[in-house]
C-alpha cells in the first residue's frame, strides 16, 4: 500500500480554501482539543499551540477485468485471470499540538518541512483525535475579568530593564488581545532585546522571557509621581550632592519641594552616584532604582551634619578591594568612603554565578552590585584569611583537564578552572591550590562552551557552564565498560530471520545480540505470469522478482568504517542504541556523536537507547 500525503495544511480543508479564523488559546495542561477542527492560517507557531491538518491517502485496489479490453493489463496470450489496479482517494483531518517548550523541536513547528502531515511532522507535532467541522473560535480574552492594559510592543534591539513588560500580537489572531511577556532579572535581562530571544518566537526566548496574561488596550500613562501629595513634611532636607556624602538607606534629600528617601537594598550604594540624582523631571528613571518618593516639603530643616553611619555592623575591616584579586563566594572586602574621619564599608561576595563579578568590579563602582552585597560599616582590622576556604563548594574528587580555548566541548564535559595558586611542585588543596570544576550545559547552551567569551571564570560563564564543586589532585581514569561476548545461537531460535534462512546456503547460526532490518533481495524465483512476477517476452520459464525480507545483522560496537542509516543498531558493552531518523541520522557516522553510557551526552541527538543485549539465546 502506498500513501501520498497532500499537504492540505494549516487551514486548507477538503475544498482547498484557507480559513482566517483565529486559533484557540493553547491548552496549558497538554490535552489536545477533540471534536471540531482548529483550522488556522500560516503563523509562527509557539510551543503548545494547536492546529488541524488534512492528509489525502491513495489506496490501490486490485479488481478482476476482461483480458481483451484495452484498459485491462495482460500478458501475451493470456485470456483469463487478468486484473487491474485502481486508486481510491480518502481524506482525514486531525488536530495536532506543537510539542511543549521542554522539547527543543518546537522551534520546527513553523518550518514547512515539519508540517504535521509531512515526513518529519512527528518530530515537532503530537497527533490528536480525528476531527470534523470547525470549532467556534475562542477569544483569548474570554474568561479574564478586567484584563490589564497592554504595555508597549516589543522592539528588537531595545535594552530592557529587569521585570520590564512588553506585549506582542497573538499568532493568527486579529482581535484586540495581545500577549504580555516579562523580562528576566539581572543579569539575564541583557538578552531580552537581542536576536533569537524575541518573546514567544525567538529560538531561546523562554530563557529570558516569562509569559504573562493576555491584555487589551493600553496602559494608562502615569501623570505625576506616585506619592501622597497630602503628606507634607516640616522643612526640606538638603539637596542631593554627588560624592559629597555617602547616602545610606533612610537618608533624605529634596529637590523643588519634593522629598526623596534613599531606599534599602543592594542598590542603595548608588544613592550618591552620578546618574542617580533624584528628579521627577529627569529624562531617565535610573533614580527610581535607589530613591523613593516620600512627599512634599516647605521651609528648611537644620542640617544633620555627617550622614548617619553605623560603625558597629562589622567587627574589624577586611582588606580593601583590589582589582585583579580572585574573590569567591562569601569573601569580604572593604571600601574606604571617607579619610577624615576614616570610614569604611564592608561588602560580601555573592553566591555563584554572581561571584564571577567580584573580581571585576569594585563594590563602590557602577556594576559593583552585580557581585557584592553591602554588610555595613567596619572599624579596625581583622586577621587575614589564608587561602579561600571553598566551604560552599562540594569536593567532586580528582580534577579534570583545565579549560582550553582550542578544544570543542560537548554537553556534560567537565573542566577545571584555577581559582588560586599554591606552592610550587603540587596541585593539591593542602598546598594552597584551588580548582573549581565546571560542567558544560545541555542544548541550547552547549555551543557557547567552546567560545572564549563564555569560558569558566569569565563574566558570562554561567550561560554555558555549571559549577559542580572543587577538586583535588588529578582525575582517576574511568575503567572500560564490561566486555560483552556476542555469541552465536542456532538459527532455529529465530524464525523471523528470513533472509539468512533463505540464502542459497542457509545460515546455521544467528548472533545472540542482533536486530531486525528489512532489505530487498533480488533474483527470487517466481511463477511466470503470477501477479507481481515480471515475465520477459518472449515467455520464459526462469522468472524472478525482488522481494523484501527480514535480515538479522549483529549488533556491534560503533565503527568509523560503517555507514549507518536510520534504524541501524550499535552497542556499548551490552547497551544497545538505535540511529534516529532524518535529519538526526546525518550525525550517526560522526565520531563526536557515537553512543556512550553517559546520560545527557551529545549522542542523544542522533541515537536512542534501545535496551540491552540478551544474556543467552
Amino acid at each position: 500500500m502506498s500513501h501520498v500525503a497532500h499537504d492540505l495544511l494549516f487551514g486548507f480543508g477538503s475544498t482547498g480554501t484557507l480559513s482566517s479564523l483565529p486559533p484557540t488559546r493553547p491548552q496549558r495542561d497538554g490535552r489536545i482539543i477533540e471534536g471540531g477542527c482548529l483550522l488556522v492560517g500560516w503563523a509562527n507557531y509557539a510551543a503548545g499551540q494547536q492546529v488541524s491538518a488534512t492528509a489525502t491517502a491513495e489506496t490501490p485496489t486490485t479488481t478482476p477485468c476482461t483480458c481483451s479490453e484495452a484498459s485491462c493489463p495482460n500478458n501475451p496470450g493470456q485470456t483469463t485471470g487478468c486484473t487491474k489496479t485502481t486508486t481510491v482517494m480518502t481524506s482525514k483531518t486531525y488536530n495536532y499540538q506543537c510539542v511543549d517548550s521542554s522539547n527543543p523541536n518546537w522551534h520546527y513547528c513553523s518550518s514547512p518541512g515539519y508540517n504535521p502531515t509531512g515526513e518529519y511532522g512527528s518530530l515537532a507535532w503530537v497527533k490528536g483525535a480525528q476531527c470534523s467541522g470547525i470549532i467556534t473560535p475562542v477569544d483569548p480574552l474570554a474568561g479574564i475579568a478586567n484584563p490589564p492594559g497592554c504595555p508597549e510592543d516589543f522592539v528588537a534591539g531595545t535594552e530592557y530593564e529587569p521585570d520590564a513588560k512588553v506585549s506582542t500580537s497573538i499568532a493568527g489572531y486579529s482581535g484586540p488581545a495581545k500577549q504580555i511577556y516579562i523580562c528576566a532579572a539581572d543579569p539575564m535581562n541583557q538578552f531580552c532585546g537581542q536576536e533569537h530571544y524575541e518573546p514567544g518566537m525567538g529560538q531561546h526566548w523562554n530563557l529570558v522571557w516569562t509569559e504573562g496574561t493576555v491584555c487589551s488596550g493600553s496602559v494608562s500613562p502615569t501623570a505625576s509621581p506616585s506619592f501622597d501629595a497630602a503628606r507634607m513634611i516640616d522643612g526640606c532636607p538638603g539637596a542631593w550632592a554627588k560624592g559629597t556624602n555617602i547616602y545610606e538607606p533612610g537618608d533624605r534629600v529634596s529637590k523643588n519641594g519634593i522629598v526623596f528617601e534613599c531606599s534599602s537594598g543592594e542598590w542603595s550604594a548608588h544613592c550618591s552616584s552620578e546618574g542617580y540624582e533624584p528628579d521627577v523631571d529627569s529624562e531617565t528613571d535610573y533614580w527610581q532604582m535607589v530613591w523613593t518618593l516620600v512627599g512634599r516639603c516647605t521651609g528648611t530643616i537644620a542640617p544633620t551634619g555627617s550622614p548617619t553611619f553605623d560603625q558597629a555592623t562589622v567587627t574589624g575591616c577586611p582588606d580593601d578591594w583590589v582589582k585583579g584579586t580572585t574573590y569567591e563566594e562569601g569573601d569580604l572586602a572593604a571600601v574606604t568612603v571617607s579619610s577624615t574621619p576614616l570610614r569604611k564599608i564592608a561588602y560580601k561576595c555573592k553566591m555563584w554565578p554572581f561571584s564571577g563579578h567580584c573580581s571585576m568590579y569594585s563594590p563602590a563602582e557602577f556594576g559593583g552590585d552585580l557581585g557584592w552585597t553591602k554588610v555595613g560599616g567596619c572599624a579596625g582590622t581583622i586577621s587575614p584569611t589564608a587561602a579561600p576556604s571553598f566551604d560552599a563548594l562540594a569536593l567532586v574528587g580528582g580534577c579534570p583537564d583545565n579549560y582550553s580555548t582550542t578544544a570543542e566541548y560537548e554537553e556534560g564535559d567537565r573542566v577545571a578552572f584555577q581559582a588560586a595558586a599554591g606552592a610550587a611542585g603540587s596541585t593539591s588543596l593542602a598546598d594552597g591550590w584551588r580548582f573549581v570544576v565546571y560542567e558544560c550545559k545541555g542544548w541550547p547552551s552547549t555551543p557557547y562552551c567552546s567560545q572564549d567569551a563564555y569560558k569558566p571564570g569569565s563574566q558570562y560563564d554561567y550561560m554555558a557552564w555549571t559549577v559542580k564543586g572543587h577538586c583535588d589532585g588529578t582525575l582517576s581514569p574511568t575503567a572500560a565498560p564490561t566486555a560483552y561476548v556476542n555469541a552465536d545461537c542456532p538459527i532455529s531460535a529465530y524464525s523471523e530471520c528470513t533472509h539468512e534462512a533463505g540464502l542459497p546456503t542457509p545460515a546455521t547460526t544467528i548472533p545472540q545480540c542482533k536486530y531486525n532490518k528489512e532489505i530487498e533481495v533480488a533474483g527470487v524465483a517466481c511463477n511466470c505470469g503470477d501477479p507481481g512476477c515480471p515475465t520477459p517476452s518472449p515467455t520464459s520459464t526462469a522468472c524472478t522478482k525482488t522481494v523484501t525480507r527480514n535480515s538479522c545483522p549483529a549488533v556491534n560496537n560503533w565503527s568509523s568504517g560503517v555507514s549507518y542509516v536510520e534504524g541501524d543498531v550499535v552497542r556499548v558493552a551490552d547497551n544497545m542504541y538505535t540511529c534516529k531518523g532524518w535529519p538526526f541520522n546525518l550525525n550517526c557516522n560522526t565520531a563526536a556523536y557515537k553512543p556512550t553510557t553517559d546520560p545527557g551526552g551529545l549522542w542523544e541527538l542522533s541515537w536512542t537507547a534501545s535496551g540491552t543485549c540478551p544474556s543467552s539465546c
Side-chain angles (χ1 to χ4, degrees), residues 163-513:
D163 299 323
K165 292 183 179 181
V166 299
S167 60
T168 65
S169 58
I170 299 175
Y173 176 72
S174 59
K178 291 185 177 182
Q179 180 65 53
I180 295 177
Y181 292 90
I182 306 166
C183 181
D186 182 81
M188 295 301 291
N189 67 292
Q190 301 173 56
F191 297 91
C192 287
Q194 295 188 16
E195 186 180 4
H196 304 307
Y197 293 88
E198 299 88 348
M201 49 186 303
Q203 186 177 8
H204 311 306
W205 75 266
N206 54 348
L207 297 178
V208 298
W209 291 98
T210 301
E211 186 177 87
T213 184
V214 293
C215 60
S216 178
S218 59
V219 177
S220 300
T222 55
S224 55
S226 55
F227 62 89
D228 186 358
R231 182 178 179 186
M232 298 300 296
I233 298 173
D234 262 344
C236 294
W240 179 88
K242 180 190 72 174
T244 301
N245 300 307
I246 300 298
Y247 296 108
E248 295 191 337
D251 288 348
R252 292 183 178 184
V253 297
S254 65
K255 184 171 184 178
N256 298 329
I258 300 176
V259 179
F260 304 86
E261 182 174 286
C262 182
S263 304
S264 60
E266 297 174 358
W267 286 86
S268 61
H270 295 290
C271 286
S272 58
S273 301
E274 185 175 7
Y276 293 87
E277 176 183 358
D279 184 357
V280 295
D281 297 319
S282 174
E283 294 182 357
T284 68
D285 57 1
Y286 295 135
W287 67 269
Q288 297 183 31
M289 300 169 65
V290 297
W291 292 94
T292 302
L293 287 161
V294 177
R296 293 189 179 275
C297 64
T298 57
T300 59
I301 56 176
T304 57
S306 301
T308 303
F309 194 85
D310 182 7
Q311 289 273 3
T313 306
V314 179
T315 302
C317 287
D319 292 339
D320 287 353
W321 182 88
V322 177
K323 188 175 183 64
T325 301
T326 301
Y327 294 102
E328 299 177 355
E329 177 182 341
D331 285 350
L332 294 173
V335 173
T336 301
V337 297
S338 173
S339 299
T340 308
L342 179 63
R343 293 191 177 94
K344 290 187 176 184
I345 296 179
Y347 292 84
K348 185 176 182 179
C349 183
K350 296 181 181 179
M351 68 175 59
W352 188 91
F354 306 105
S355 57
H357 301 290
C358 293
S359 301
M360 302 172 61
Y361 301 104
S362 163
E365 69 176 296
F366 181 78
D369 57 286
L370 295 175
W372 295 96
T373 300
K374 181 180 177 182
V375 178
C378 63
T381 59
I382 57 176
S383 300
T385 57
S389 65
F390 278 69
D391 289 340
L393 297 178
L395 179 64
V396 295
C399 295
D401 293 336
N402 290 340
Y403 176 87
S404 171
T405 56
T406 61
E408 290 291 331
Y409 292 105
E410 302 173 0
E411 178 182 351
D413 284 350
R414 291 188 175 187
V415 298
F417 169 73
Q418 181 182 312
S426 171
T427 57
S428 68
L429 281 170
D431 292 324
W433 291 86
R434 300 292 184 265
F435 291 93
V436 180
V437 177
Y438 288 78
E439 182 174 281
C440 181
K441 292 185 176 181
W443 192 93
S445 303
T446 308
Y448 298 120
C449 293
S450 302
Q451 299 184 28
D452 189 62
Y454 301 89
K455 64 184 178 182
S458 66
Q459 182 177 2
Y460 302 112
D461 60 7
Y462 63 91
M463 298 185 62
W465 300 88
T466 301
V467 171
K468 304 303 292 185
H470 70 276
C471 60
D472 186 12
T474 57
L475 185 67
S476 301
T478 55
T482 303
Y484 176 81
V485 178
N486 197 5
D488 290 333
C489 297
I491 192 172
S492 57
Y494 301 104
S495 59
E496 71 272 20
C497 303
T498 56
H499 172 61
E500 287 79 6
L503 291 173
T505 303
T508 58
T509 60
I510 292 293
Q512 176 179 290
C513 189

